[in-house]
Amino acid sequence: MEVITTHINADFDCLGGMIAAKKLYPKAEMVFAGSQERSLREFFLHSASYAYAFKRVKDIDLDRITRLILVDVREPGRIGPFEEVARRSEVELHIYDHHPESDENHLRGAVEVIEPVGSTVTVFSHLFLARGIHPNADEATLMMLGLYEDTGSLMFGSTTVKDFQAAAFLLEHGANLTEVADFLTYEMTPEQVRLLHDLLANRMVLNIHGYNVSVAYASVDQFVGDLAVLTHKLRDMENLRALITVVRMGDRIFMVGRSSLPEVHVGDILSEFGGGGHAFAASATVRDLTLVQVLDRLAGVLKRQVDPRLEVRHLMSHPVKTVGPDESIEHVREFLTRYNINAVPVVEGDRVLGLLTRQVVERAAHHGLGDVAAREYMESDFATVEPEDPIDILQDLIVRRNQRFVPVMSEGQLVGAITRTDLLRYMVDRAPRSEGGREPVEDTAQTEYNPREVIRLLRTRLPERIQHLLEQFGRCGDELGVKVFIVGGFVRDLLLDLPNLDLDIVVEGDGISFAEHYARQHQCRVRAHHKFGTAVIVLPDEFKIDVASTRVEFYLEPAALPTVENASIKLDLYRRDFTINTLAISLNGERFGEIHDFFGGLRDLRQKAIRVLHNLSFVEDPTRVFRAVRFEQRLEFHIGKQTEHLIRSAVRMGFLERLGGPRLLSELQHILEEENPHPAIERLSQLDLLKFLHPALDLPVDCEGLFDRATRSLNWFDLLYTEESCQRWLVYLLCLVTRLDDDAMQGLCERLSIPARYRSLLTDERHRAHGVLKGVRRRWRQARRKPRNSDLYVWFEGFSIETLLYLMARIETEEVRRWISLYVTRLRDEKSWIDGEDLKKIGIPPGPEYKEILRRVLLARLDGKATTRAEEIAFVRRRYRSLMA
């Protein structure tokens, strides 16, 4: 007798593998060695169409077995009653598996087909391809179930090229993906929900050689199936890169491991508990140990198994700012302040002669030694490291030897630097966040995204065209030997799943040369700005991408425009306004998708906080106050406590008074162009910021209602689908300043340097609109009936669309708003049939009277008194008979 079997707690990969094995061994009986996962049991309950002849162990005479075919398993302890059969010398053993060997006690077979791929189904699929075997549609569907389950629908880190080829092969043979999706998606049972809750509550983080490995544990009295599924859910919910779940169920301990970190090989880790798997997914079942014993042993196993591969090059900053040995102490002091750094190497030619720290420089200046050369007081006894050195070496240099700045040298060249702050941030990011090794779920350290996760976000949240552009930029950087990043708001909104296709590319090198190189390859135009090292790539369809060299900005005085110099990506990001805008994604080939977070941007995205990078941020650039409010309201975040304190301090000290009008107007315009600007305007008022626009400016009465009516009016106008442009921000600005008198309005225009093309609208036209508003309200109170069309035309004639929409917002009565609606949609575009030539033919001599006559004709037409050409001519003959020759 031939028997095909698999491991206990069989899953869909076992099922698909057994069905495939039956194609190779058509006379063999298919027998499950033990229980199945719940998903597989439910599959058999609800899929009667797959009537395959699986037999029970009790129906098989184990003594008659001459050939045993094992699928998805090699461990003798995982095949239940077939372990004794497998060890008989007279039984021929055939093994088909995808797990790497990690235990010398694994079974050996006369036939072994074992490949390190994502699923056992993949192993059989490639055998079928090689031998010309064709599964039918039902068989292909069953095999696809196994392939998709074990590879996470081809998205797990263990997925290989062969898995994709296997999926294509099965799809060609009729695999039904709809059925696959139906059976792989199911609701959790109440027992599973409770277990998942326990795992969430009992999650701790072990920092092993700089890597955070989460361990979640629980204890239940009865068996709960599909622990692997719960492990996946927990990993996805908490965005974990390495997770091991340990659950006592009755008298056994079940372990499941998942990892996307190459350094955390869960297959090797769980093999020490009698289990197995591969680098990214593994499991084990433990007997004769308590839960506490397993957890205690796991900590030691992790320390042995986790590979400490992080090197200095992963942490260093470059290029490095340096000073010469003959520079004065006072110059070095100004240099450190300008770049906001605390130590600097003293370099002559290619040699690093020494180090100078801010502490030494400040003390030397205090003693009147500002004119002395840097070489006199530099620290010449210092250590260096190389890019490939392990991170651990830095802890000895910086912590124990108190060298706060470590140069990174390669072949005698200064290629980077590590500071005490760099090491501290690295150590804090990887340390457990609370006492006792427990890490609070609400403030988990696992906010980092690995490159695979970022690439998934790029693929699922961006149009295909943008994906290709980013890949092209990375290849272009590789060709030029420069590092390329996409930075700022694009990265922030990608992680928040908000639409944003404004590409801001930054190059550690010459950004203009990069843009020109890309343009030559892809037939684009480039607009370069050499003064700032920036460029704009203009694609053939006019889509634009901003490109800049990494740079640092420093301010010679508060509120002044910045001076710009080239710098590293870290210093480039440091010049930005808020931590959530300091994130960068590498685009170069080897590091594509790697996120750089030097300043806690990921943390603040999670906490929904707007925070500045340093306490002088609003002093150097007070316009950031307005941007803080805008981002807070747009993203529904909150301004951090310290950041709000700094805003109020900047208000008290009057730094915003130094801002020029154009810069203030630009920030105000950005706020008023938001989809719903009212919350930001209210927040500006709370922070006492409106007075910097004009001392008399205050919130309008019923501000929220006014802005709401303005929004509805603007949305109504957009739905008309006219080709007429409308400056939305002007409508909201008119609402904001509605309480200012004419003189104050003139003052606001001067303070904000309002361009001439808008100034007339905000002064003269606004003044006339307020007069009309009073008249319209008085007419409604007195008559409460619709006026003639000619009256509406006279009232509203000559107003811009912005002013008309402002009037609609100011009017609280729906009926009166319809009057303006009628004027906008029909009356203002009406024209009379006749013109000056017709008046001349009638016999009225040419003269200034023509304008008034034609206007009277139009008004008569609007009121229905002259609706045809003939009626208009008759109207003129009747009304202006005295003027006819």
Side-chain angles (χ1 to χ4, degrees):
M1 179 186 291
E2 296 180 346
V3 169
I4 300 170
T5 191
T6 185
H7 59 75
I8 56 177
N9 294 326
D11 56 16
F12 280 118
D13 193 34
C14 299
L15 172 65
M18 293 173 73
I19 294 296
K22 181 72 171 176
K23 299 288 287 185
L24 299 180
Y25 303 90
K27 295 181 179 180
E29 301 287 357
M30 293 186 291
V31 184
F32 284 110
S35 62
Q36 300 94 44
E37 292 282 0
R38 180 174 69 90
S39 56
L40 188 54
R41 294 198 305 272
E42 291 190 356
F43 170 81
F44 280 111
L45 288 174
H46 297 99
S47 58
S49 59
Y50 298 114
Y52 289 92
F54 286 93
K55 292 195 173 180
R56 294 176 296 181
V57 174
K58 68 179 183 179
D59 296 328
I60 299 295
D61 184 352
L62 300 182
D63 293 333
R64 293 184 55 225
I65 297 175
T66 55
R67 178 183 290 168
L68 185 65
I69 300 100
L70 296 181
V71 171
D72 198 38
V73 65
R74 280 193 282 172
E75 300 91 336
R78 299 186 69 201
I79 55 176
F82 291 102
E83 178 179 356
E84 186 269 332
V85 177
R87 296 192 184 279
R88 292 183 201 154
S89 58
E90 68 273 15
V91 173
E92 184 178 308
L93 198 58
H94 293 194
I95 301 174
Y96 298 85
D97 195 9
H98 73 114
H99 298 104
E101 182 175 339
S102 57
D103 188 343
E104 61 182 15
N105 293 322
H106 278 169
L107 294 170
R108 303 293 178 182
V111 173
E112 290 188 356
V113 183
I114 300 164
E115 290 195 54
V117 291
S119 79
T120 303
V121 164
T122 299
V123 175
F124 282 108
S125 295
H126 283 272
L127 281 176
F128 287 5
L129 275 166
R131 300 182 186 181
I133 298 173
H134 303 286
N136 61 37
D138 288 347
E139 292 166 341
T141 300
L142 287 172
M143 292 173 68
M144 189 73 91
L145 272 167
L147 173 61
Y148 265 40
E149 181 184 57
D150 256 30
T151 62
S153 300
L154 302 175
M155 291 191 294
F156 287 169
S158 55
T159 307
T160 67
V161 173
K162 286 192 170 184
D163 295 305
F164 281 91
Q165 294 168 342
F169 168 76
L170 296 174
L171 202 58
E172 287 174 352
H173 286 81
N176 189 322
L177 291 180
T178 301
E179 292 186 13
V180 170
D182 288 343
F183 282 112
L184 290 183
T185 305
Y186 58 90
E187 296 294 326
M188 291 190 295
T189 65
E191 292 78 16
Q192 288 176 321
V193 172
R194 285 193 291 271
L195 178 54
L196 181 59
H197 177 271
D198 290 344
L199 291 171
L200 279 165
N202 297 314
R203 184 169 70 84
M204 58 185 177
V205 175
L206 304 177
N207 185 263
I208 312 296
H209 302 311
Y211 298 98
N212 280 341
V213 180
S214 287
V215 177
Y217 59 91
S219 180
V220 293
D221 293 331
Q222 71 285 349
F223 178 78
V224 179
D226 294 333
L227 180 58
V229 174
L230 299 183
T231 303
H232 278 297
K233 286 186 179 294
L234 178 57
R235 184 197 63 176
D236 294 342
M237 289 168 63
E238 298 299 296
N239 191 26
L240 305 177
R241 303 183 67 183
L243 169 65
I244 297 174
T245 54
V246 186
V247 181
R248 182 192 69 82
M249 299 184 191
D251 60 352
R252 298 182 185 181
I253 308 293
F254 294 88
M255 306 176 71
V256 173
R258 294 294 184 265
S259 172
S260 61
L261 293 172
E263 295 80 8
V264 183
H265 191 301
V266 291
D268 290 346
I269 292 167
L270 294 190
S271 70
E272 296 204 27
F273 293 88
H278 42 72
F280 303 99
S283 62
T285 302
V286 182
R287 299 176 179 84
D288 302 324
L289 289 178
T290 67
L291 180 62
V292 173
Q293 289 174 319
V294 170
L295 292 173
D296 184 59
R297 182 181 171 193
L298 178 60
V301 171
L302 288 172
K303 289 178 182 178
R304 288 196 305 275
Q305 291 285 358
V306 174
D307 187 5
R309 293 182 182 174
L310 206 61
E311 298 174 346
V312 165
R313 61 190 174 89
H314 296 126
L315 200 59
M316 72 180 189
S317 300
H318 63 93
V320 184
K321 289 292 183 183
T322 65
V323 296
D326 297 320
E327 302 282 2
S328 69
I329 289 291
E330 184 59 35
H331 172 81
V332 176
R333 184 186 189 187
E334 294 175 357
F335 183 91
L336 294 172
T337 300
R338 172 183 300 175
Y339 296 109
N340 194 43
I341 53 181
N342 294 310
V344 63
V346 181
V347 175
E348 185 174 51
D350 294 333
R351 296 173 56 218
V352 180
L353 303 180
L355 307 175
L356 266 174
T357 64
R358 183 183 294 275
Q359 185 180 29
V360 170
V361 169
E362 292 289 352
R363 293 184 67 179
H366 174 74
H367 291 296
L369 302 173
D371 294 332
V372 177
R375 68 168 72 245
E376 301 298 332
Y377 296 105
M378 67 185 183
E379 175 61 55
S380 57
D381 182 15
F382 61 93
T384 65
V385 294
E386 295 186 355
E388 291 74 26
D389 285 338
I391 291 294
D392 292 350
I393 196 173
L394 295 170
Q395 297 184 21
D396 180 67
L397 293 176
I398 293 178
V399 178
R400 296 181 180 85
R401 294 178 54 179
N402 200 33
Q403 182 176 321
R404 65 190 306 165
F405 182 98
V406 182
V408 183
M409 309 294 293
S410 178
E411 299 180 354
Q413 300 288 320
L414 180 65
V415 296
I418 301 285
T419 67
R420 183 170 62 183
T421 303
D422 293 330
L423 180 63
L424 180 61
R425 182 178 295 113
Y426 160 77
M427 294 173 69
V428 169
D429 285 347
R430 285 156 177 77
R433 293 298 182 92
S434 64
E435 297 179 2
R438 292 288 304 279
E439 181 183 8
V441 173
E442 66 272 15
D443 191 29
T444 174
Q446 300 291 345
T447 57
E448 298 180 5
Y449 291 80
N450 63 41
R452 189 178 184 86
E453 292 166 327
V454 174
I455 292 170
R456 179 180 60 81
L457 293 180
L458 293 172
R459 289 175 178 168
T460 57
R461 296 180 178 177
L462 296 179
E464 205 169 301
R465 180 195 187 196
I466 301 299
Q467 298 175 39
H468 292 327
L469 282 174
L470 299 182
E471 292 167 359
Q472 290 169 359
F473 292 144
R475 287 195 292 270
C476 183
D478 291 338
E479 292 166 5
L480 295 175
V482 297
K483 294 182 178 180
V484 184
F485 309 87
I486 186 159
V487 301
F490 174 90
V491 181
R492 176 199 69 221
D493 291 344
L494 173 72
L495 301 181
L496 292 175
D497 198 13
L498 297 174
N500 185 347
L501 299 183
D502 293 332
L503 305 188
D504 189 359
I505 303 298
V506 169
V507 179
E508 268 195 352
D510 190 336
I512 295 177
S513 296
F514 172 88
E516 291 172 342
H517 181 80
Y518 179 86
R520 284 193 295 271
Q521 290 182 331
H522 300 277
Q523 292 75 52
C524 308
R525 306 195 316 273
V526 172
R527 295 203 300 262
H529 306 281
H530 292 276
K531 179 180 178 181
F532 301 105
T534 63
V536 177
I537 297 174
V538 184
L539 300 184
D541 63 354
E542 299 302 312
F543 185 80
K544 297 178 179 63
I545 302 108
D546 292 321
V547 178
S549 305
T550 51
R551 61 195 191 274
V552 66
E553 297 175 348
F554 54 90
Y555 296 78
L556 300 179
E557 60 183 52
L561 292 173
T563 300
V564 177
E565 289 185 8
N566 290 341
S568 66
I569 182 64
K570 182 178 178 181
L571 286 178
D572 181 90
L573 295 173
Y574 186 74
R575 70 184 174 82
R576 295 172 186 267
D577 46 16
F578 308 109
T579 58
I580 60 172
N581 294 330
T582 62
L583 300 169
I585 297 177
S586 289
L587 299 181
N588 295 84
E590 287 186 0
R591 307 186 75 173
F592 188 88
E594 182 178 310
I595 280 194
H596 298 264
D597 177 21
F598 299 105
F599 308 109
L602 290 173
R603 173 203 64 201
D604 289 340
L605 279 182
R606 184 184 72 253
Q607 296 180 357
K608 297 188 174 183
I610 305 295
R611 293 190 177 97
V612 289
L613 277 74
H614 56 86
N615 287 356
L616 295 178
S617 183
F618 297 129
V619 175
E620 295 178 345
D621 185 1
T623 61
R624 290 171 177 166
V625 168
F626 293 91
R627 293 204 290 280
V629 171
R630 175 158 55 92
F631 285 127
E632 178 190 47
Q633 300 305 317
R634 178 202 294 175
L635 302 175
E636 297 182 352
F637 280 24
H638 67 276
I639 294 175
K641 183 178 179 181
Q642 173 65 8
T643 299
E644 182 166 338
H645 167 76
L646 295 172
I647 290 175
R648 295 189 184 278
S649 176
V651 169
R652 285 195 306 272
M653 299 178 69
F655 286 117
L656 282 85
E657 294 173 359
R658 307 182 189 184
L659 285 174
R663 295 179 70 190
L664 264 179
L665 177 61
S666 175
E667 294 301 328
L668 179 62
Q669 186 173 342
H670 283 313
I671 288 175
L672 296 177
E673 285 173 343
E674 291 290 313
E675 185 175 343
N676 177 20
H678 172 259
I681 295 299
E682 290 276 5
R683 190 72 162 115
L684 292 178
S685 178
Q686 292 173 10
L687 295 171
D688 203 20
L689 293 169
L690 294 180
K691 67 182 182 183
F692 294 103
L693 306 178
H694 191 277
L697 184 58
D698 199 1
L699 288 183
V701 176
D702 185 28
C703 180
E704 184 174 3
L706 179 60
F707 272 73
D708 180 62
R709 291 192 296 274
T711 299
R712 285 190 280 126
S713 298
L714 284 160
N715 292 341
W716 165 80
F717 179 74
D718 289 341
L719 291 175
L720 296 179
Y721 298 107
T722 68
E723 295 184 359
E724 183 178 4
S725 63
C726 175
Q727 301 291 331
R728 296 177 67 94
W729 70 273
L730 276 175
V731 178
Y732 288 122
L733 179 58
L734 286 167
C735 292
L736 175 62
V737 301
T738 188
R739 298 179 66 181
L740 291 185
D741 60 27
D742 291 346
D743 290 339
M745 193 66 224
Q746 288 283 1
L748 182 137
C749 287
E750 293 171 6
R751 169 70 178 107
L752 300 182
S753 302
I754 299 285
R757 64 183 182 276
Y758 301 133
R759 190 166 294 203
S760 175
L761 183 152
L762 292 171
T763 54
D764 299 339
E765 192 172 314
R766 173 179 174 270
H767 175 78
R768 186 164 69 89
H770 285 174
V772 169
L773 184 62
K774 290 180 182 178
V776 169
R777 284 174 170 166
R778 183 170 56 251
R779 176 69 174 265
W780 172 251
R781 286 195 300 268
Q782 292 173 353
R784 290 192 177 272
R785 58 182 175 81
K786 178 188 170 186
R788 296 176 302 177
N789 288 349
S790 58
D791 292 330
L792 297 178
Y793 189 89
V794 171
W795 291 344
F796 304 128
E797 181 184 15
F799 285 134
S800 64
I801 189 60
E802 290 85 4
T803 300
L804 291 168
L805 296 176
Y806 163 63
L807 285 173
M808 290 183 76
R810 285 292 308 275
I811 293 171
E812 299 85 358
T813 309
E814 188 65 33
E815 178 63 27
V816 180
R817 283 200 291 273
R818 291 197 191 98
W819 299 352
I820 303 177
S821 170
L822 176 62
Y823 172 77
V824 171
T825 57
R826 188 168 69 84
L827 301 183
R828 67 175 178 152
D829 294 325
E830 285 283 352
K831 304 293 182 186
S832 59
W833 288 99
I834 64 174
D835 56 18
E837 288 298 320
D838 294 303
L839 297 182
K840 189 185 297 184
K841 291 176 183 178
I842 291 172
I844 300 176
E849 296 85 0
Y850 271 27
K851 182 177 181 180
E852 176 61 24
I853 293 172
L854 291 174
R855 177 176 170 76
R856 289 291 180 183
V857 170
L858 175 59
L859 296 179
R861 174 180 175 78
L862 293 174
D863 289 339
K865 298 176 180 178
T867 58
T868 65
R869 178 182 178 83
E871 288 176 351
E872 288 183 1
I873 292 174
F875 175 83
V876 172
R877 290 183 185 278
R878 184 172 61 253
R879 179 122 185 196
Y880 297 99
R881 186 180 303 276
S882 61
L883 297 179
M884 295 169 58

